[in-house]
Amino acid sequence: MNRQWNYAGFGIPDSYFIRGKAPMTKEEVRAVVMGKLRLGQEDIFVDVGAGTGSVSIEAALKLSTGKVYAIEFKEEACNLLEANKAAFDVKNLEILKGRAAEEIRKIKGFHRIFIGGSTGEMMEILDETGDRLLTGGRIVITAVTIETLHEALQGLKARGFQEIEVVSIGVSKGRSTGNYTLMEAQNTIYILSATK
């Protein structure tokens, strides 16, 4: 099935993606993440902990002559990545199956990287990123816990990243209950961004 997204803006609805139990960066957070990445048409982009591939798909649709590497080690998530790649018919998306630090070593250089999941390997991923992210490149990291936020922030500072910014996103969505609409809060997400 070919899923068309014919709009210039970011924020493909979550319902467009084939979902399973794998994590997914939700629509509203994804729109902010994509804005912080500042993608160029020819960029090489790396998505670490790609999950269902929502960020990878958004990036692939914007990079007319660039390329996306989606890194994921969980089997179910890799299957969902493949399914969403086919559903959106993106040709410039390559799925790398394995642990992030090892897979990043296979990419000679890249312009942008998003870390949506580190599975306890944040420092190793940041070390590899520091070696391969091109000068002027952007890194964006999402965190749902204060511990991950702290670790990522300290890691960026220790590696000399510039223009470090932290944003906290709190999203509530309306849910109909008969004649009324209740606003249900989602988890607060921390978004870190920086430039090499």
Side-chain angles (χ1 to χ4, degrees):
M1 172 177 29
N2 186 344
R3 295 179 184 236
Q4 296 296 319
W5 180 251
N6 298 316
Y7 304 98
F10 294 117
I12 297 172
D14 293 343
S15 61
Y16 277 46
F17 294 95
I18 300 165
R19 303 276 305 272
K21 294 180 181 175
M24 182 172 94
T25 303
K26 302 294 191 309
E27 175 183 344
E28 293 81 8
V29 173
R30 193 176 342 113
V32 174
V33 164
M34 299 308 292
K36 297 294 183 186
L37 283 166
R38 303 176 190 162
L39 293 173
Q41 294 295 315
E42 300 176 356
D43 283 348
I44 304 300
F45 171 67
V46 179
D47 181 5
V48 174
T52 60
S54 63
V55 171
S56 294
I57 298 292
E58 291 253 18
L61 292 171
K62 296 302 175 199
L63 299 176
S64 58
T65 55
K67 182 159 186 172
V68 175
Y69 292 96
I71 300 174
E72 181 57 63
F73 76 94
K74 295 178 182 170
E75 192 63 34
E76 180 186 2
C78 287
N79 294 336
L80 287 169
L81 268 164
E82 292 284 2
N84 279 311
K85 176 182 176 181
F88 283 90
D89 193 30
V90 289
K91 309 288 189 206
N92 58 344
L93 169 58
E94 182 176 339
I95 298 166
L96 302 178
K97 297 177 184 177
R99 303 301 293 195
E102 293 174 22
E103 297 303 319
I104 290 171
R105 285 188 202 112
K106 298 175 183 177
I107 307 166
K108 292 188 183 198
F110 46 88
H111 305 92
R112 303 290 186 266
I113 184 166
F114 170 63
I115 303 172
S118 62
T119 324
E121 299 177 351
M122 182 65 73
M123 293 309 166
E124 295 89 344
I125 294 168
L126 289 178
D127 284 340
E128 297 302 329
T129 296
D131 291 342
R132 288 163 182 78
L133 182 64
L134 300 172
T135 301
R138 297 276 296 165
I139 181 170
V140 175
I141 304 169
T142 53
V144 294
T145 69
I146 293 170
E147 290 78 10
T148 303
L149 168 65
H150 175 75
E151 183 182 29
L153 183 58
Q154 295 308 310
L156 291 172
K157 288 178 179 178
R159 287 158 183 80
F161 280 89
Q162 303 295 308
E163 302 171 358
I164 298 172
E165 179 184 46
V166 181
V167 175
S168 172
I169 302 277
V171 176
S172 294
K173 287 196 165 190
R175 179 177 59 88
S176 179
T177 59
N179 294 330
Y180 300 96
T181 302
L182 295 176
M183 297 304 292
E184 290 188 337
Q186 298 181 3
N187 288 337
T188 297
I189 305 290
Y190 304 101
I191 302 174
L192 298 92
S193 57
T195 303
K196 180 175 176 183

